[in-house]
Amino acid sequence: MTAPPIPLLMGIVNVTPDSFSDGGRYDDPERAIAHGRDLLAQGADILDVGGESTRPGATRPLLAEELDRVVPVIEALAAEGATVSVDTMRAEVAARAVAAGARIVNDVSGGLADPAILDVVARTGATYVAMHWRAHSDRMQEFTGYDEHGGVVPGVRAELAERVAAIRAAGVRDEQIVLDPGLGFAKQPHHNWELVRRLDVLAELGFPLLVGASRKTFLGRLLAGPDGRARPVGEREAAGVAMTTLLAAGLGGTPVWCLRVHDVRAHRDALAVAAEWGPDADRAATEGEG
């Protein structure tokens, strides 16, 4: 058996007062920069800096607010040598972020929220993560039907293929493109599980995949208590680590390029375990370990 390549880890730096997981903890530049440094020390390969919460029901910040939140953080972390991604749906934020040193534009709307973002990506040559998306956070759960496509997996594949066509038409090269199935965005809980089991179908489009499952609601629903209430956000990390281990070991039938996570140290440990799930998996026995 050949082990799949170990994914990169994208550490999340939310410079927002209202993110679903850690809103407010790093909502000023100094704290966000310090948090980014901590994530690098824990083993993050990429830092994803975002100034807009995309939790269900979130309202959008003003453009000026988003710029004020992310640009100083990106400038500082990129100047220290970090590979920085900007998590934004706005063309102007993407342009300012790349000018400040970001190398990746992580657009949860895949270019639907602001089509001009594709022109920024084409012009700058930045890596572009296009996520499956149907609507902004305050309305996205109104769009969870996939019957017209025959299910969520073929539906997400078809809609990502449409985004790829638009991205290419804007002049973005194939080698710049990464796709994200958009777990939790316009998805019912069972849709997310169907997608992670069949990532190979999305990989047929021919692009690297980024997966962001960390602390999301579908994990909380899986771990619901006897009263039916979802496990609180801060108590979902172990389930996310299990997901990372399984994805890195080949769950979904295809390698994953990158995993977007909150607690980088825990997920780095999970990757170390998954790295042993391959041709050398029986090494411990030959070395006399019990």
Side-chain angles (χ1 to χ4, degrees):
M1 178 176 70
T2 301
I6 295 301
L8 299 175
L9 287 182
M10 176 183 279
I12 299 168
V13 182
N14 287 322
V15 196
T16 60
D18 57 346
S19 292
F20 83 98
S21 175
D22 52 13
R25 293 183 65 187
Y26 313 110
D27 65 348
D28 71 66
E30 288 187 7
R31 285 188 290 176
I33 292 164
H35 182 53
R37 291 173 180 145
D38 288 344
L39 294 179
L40 289 172
Q42 293 172 27
D45 300 292
I46 302 165
L47 297 177
D48 193 40
V49 179
E52 175 179 353
S53 173
T54 53
R55 63 176 174 80
T59 56
R60 306 196 73 189
L62 297 174
L63 171 62
E65 290 178 313
E66 188 178 353
L67 287 168
D68 287 346
R69 290 171 181 176
V70 303
V71 171
V73 178
I74 291 168
E75 284 179 337
L77 294 171
E80 295 177 10
T83 299
V84 179
S85 167
V86 61
D87 180 358
T88 188
M89 293 181 272
R90 287 176 163 138
E92 187 169 343
V93 176
R96 291 278 297 277
V98 173
R103 303 185 208 173
I104 301 168
V105 175
N106 182 16
D107 178 4
V108 300
S109 81
L112 288 169
D114 185 354
I117 202 169
L118 302 181
D119 298 325
V120 173
V121 173
R123 183 175 72 251
T124 62
T127 297
Y128 183 62
V129 181
M131 195 190 80
H132 177 262
W133 185 88
R134 286 180 159 185
H136 285 289
S137 297
D138 58 347
R139 299 188 61 219
M140 66 182 178
Q141 292 311 105
E142 299 173 20
F143 299 92
T144 61
Y146 293 90
D147 290 346
E148 72 273 21
H149 293 290
V152 68
V153 175
V156 169
R157 186 190 190 282
E159 291 175 19
L160 282 176
E162 291 174 1
R163 298 316 307 149
V164 167
I167 293 163
R168 285 169 163 165
V172 179
R173 304 185 309 278
D174 280 7
E175 57 266 31
Q176 293 174 250
I177 302 172
V178 176
L179 301 179
D180 180 340
L183 301 183
F185 289 77
K187 314 286 189 307
Q188 295 295 337
H190 67 279
H191 289 149
N192 302 294
W193 295 109
E194 291 174 38
L195 284 164
V196 294
R197 293 187 190 107
R198 295 307 315 272
L199 291 173
D200 58 319
V201 174
L202 305 185
E204 292 171 359
L205 294 171
F207 300 95
L209 298 178
L210 181 148
V211 176
S214 184
R215 300 181 183 173
K216 287 192 173 175
T217 300
F218 76 100
L219 296 177
R221 295 276 177 83
L222 174 71
L223 304 172
D227 61 359
R229 293 183 182 179
R231 180 79 62 83
V233 172
E235 300 175 20
R236 300 173 188 170
E237 195 64 49
V241 169
M243 176 75 78
T244 285
T245 309
L246 291 168
L247 286 171
L251 174 70
T254 190
V256 173
W257 172 73
C258 187
L259 297 165
R260 187 175 182 273
V261 303
H262 292 86
D263 185 343
V264 170
R265 188 183 304 279
H267 291 269
R268 180 59 65 194
D269 290 349
L271 294 184
V273 171
E276 294 301 301
W277 197 263
D280 299 324
D282 60 350
R283 183 172 55 205
T286 65
E287 292 176 351
E289 296 183 10

